[in-house]
Amino acid sequence: MNELSIKEIIRSKEEKRILTGKISGIEDEYYKVKNEYISCAIVWYQDIKVLIPSTHLGIEKINKSMIRGMLGSEIDFIVIEYDSTSNIAIASRKDAMELRAILEIPKLKVNDVVKVRILAVGVKHIIVELYGKEVIIKADNLQHTYIVNCKDLYSSGEYLKARIKNIDKKNNIFELSAKDFIEDPFKNIRKYITEGGEYTGKVIAFPKKNSGVIVQLDNSNISCLVRIPAKFNNYPHYLDNVLIRITEIKENKKLIYGYLMRII
């Protein structure tokens, strides 16, 4: 048994020290305080099993699917109880988040650059932890270009560099942007494509709010909203190779428009 890890666990319990570990599993454990079985996130701290009850995870919707979305994520926690006989600890992420927020949030200001941990990844957003606060970063603030699925680019547990765009500490509002640290392909877009030019690409999405399809141009991550002329009897399918003509480039709005010439 690791003596150092035991000392750190005990100090966390007695002195409210924050420890860090990675969620590696989920178990239903008997929770004496509630007198019932509760889903717990499992964190191994060296050879000590740490149970973090769902009620202490600091998430709004308490269910197993939310915990599954956090698997692989590195989280902070403070030990509540430790049983030396079974070598099992009960801990709270919620307490660690609250303490971290008290210590760090007052220091933050707009335009600060921060390093955040990715907790969960959705299709069009990711959830990160900013000094004890869970913040949603939408796809528009992750990349300069269209993202089909954030899960293709990001994973729980990874770290991300972001800039604070807006902050309202009183109302607990934080807006973060990660795309500031990625080269903007629209900056010199006219070097690579021109209005009236014809280019090959691949259909990657079918936007709900707009007619047409989104085409990613070959050999780039630039995408274009493509109108489908009425003459086409067959609507292009997902991942179809197509030839399009560029009709308009709006660098400031990061938008490119075109129309479908043919399916290749």
Side-chain angles (χ1 to χ4, degrees):
M1 204 175 288
N2 192 316
E3 294 292 334
L4 180 59
S5 59
I6 292 175
K7 287 181 180 179
E8 290 174 343
I9 289 287
I10 293 173
R11 288 183 74 180
S12 174
K13 177 179 179 296
E14 295 177 348
E15 303 173 16
K16 302 297 180 185
R17 292 200 171 205
I18 296 174
L19 300 178
T20 301
K22 187 176 290 187
I23 297 178
S24 60
I26 308 169
E27 291 182 6
D28 289 331
E29 296 287 342
Y30 185 69
Y31 194 33
K32 293 180 181 179
V33 177
K34 294 254 181 192
N35 197 31
E36 63 183 26
Y37 281 90
I38 292 181
S39 296
C40 297
I42 307 300
V43 173
W44 284 95
Y45 193 78
Q46 300 293 334
D47 56 350
I48 299 173
K49 188 177 186 179
V50 180
L51 304 176
I52 304 178
S54 55
T55 51
H56 285 72
L57 273 173
I59 54 179
E60 292 183 7
K61 296 179 181 179
I62 302 173
N63 54 52
K64 276 190 177 180
S65 63
M66 286 297 293
I67 304 176
R68 289 190 192 105
M70 297 175 70
L71 286 170
S73 298
E74 192 175 66
I75 63 167
D76 294 332
F77 62 88
I78 291 176
V79 176
I80 302 172
E81 297 292 340
Y82 173 61
D83 184 345
S84 58
T85 303
S86 62
N87 201 33
I88 293 176
I90 306 293
S92 172
R93 173 177 176 256
K94 184 178 178 182
D95 290 354
M97 290 173 68
E98 290 174 352
L99 179 57
R100 185 78 76 186
I102 290 171
L103 296 174
E104 303 294 342
I105 294 298
K107 304 174 187 176
L108 298 179
K109 57 186 182 298
V110 173
N111 286 324
D112 277 356
V113 177
V114 293
K115 188 178 181 182
V116 295
R117 282 190 300 231
I118 299 177
L119 298 175
V121 182
V123 175
K124 294 298 180 183
H125 72 276
I126 65 173
I127 300 175
V128 302
E129 183 176 345
L130 171 68
Y131 298 124
K133 299 289 185 180
E134 287 190 359
V135 179
I136 293 175
I137 306 181
K138 294 182 179 180
D140 289 348
N141 282 324
L142 290 171
Q143 301 275 337
H144 295 284
T145 52
Y146 183 83
I147 297 178
V148 177
N149 190 337
C150 290
K151 294 179 180 180
D152 295 332
L153 302 173
Y154 304 95
S155 301
S156 298
E158 293 179 343
Y159 283 86
L160 193 66
K161 193 176 181 181
R163 188 184 302 280
I164 299 176
K165 290 295 186 181
N166 184 31
I167 186 168
D168 184 346
K169 297 171 186 175
K170 185 177 180 181
N171 294 305
N172 203 34
I173 296 173
F174 302 89
E175 183 184 348
L176 302 178
S177 175
K179 66 183 181 183
D180 291 26
F181 307 99
I182 300 172
E183 185 178 356
D184 184 357
F186 288 89
K187 193 172 182 180
N188 298 305
I189 187 65
R190 291 180 187 270
K191 284 186 177 181
Y192 306 101
I193 63 173
T194 60
E195 290 166 344
E198 300 176 9
Y199 306 93
T200 58
K202 194 183 296 282
V203 176
I204 60 170
F206 302 85
K208 294 180 180 179
K209 295 182 180 180
N210 298 290
S211 59
V213 298
I214 292 178
V215 172
Q216 181 170 310
L217 301 183
D218 286 343
N219 303 316
S220 76
N221 59 354
I222 295 292
S223 57
C224 175
L225 181 59
V226 176
R227 178 173 57 86
I228 311 298
K231 67 178 182 180
F232 278 89
N233 295 322
N234 295 324
Y235 206 82
H237 296 88
Y238 178 62
L239 297 183
D240 272 355
N241 293 304
V242 296
L243 177 67
I244 67 170
R245 180 190 291 272
I246 302 297
T247 57
E248 188 177 8
I249 300 171
K250 293 185 176 180
E251 296 99 319
N252 293 338
K253 293 186 177 181
K254 295 183 168 51
L255 292 172
I256 303 173
Y257 298 96
Y259 67 85
L260 181 65
M261 296 192 68
R262 64 187 175 93
I263 299 172
I264 301 173

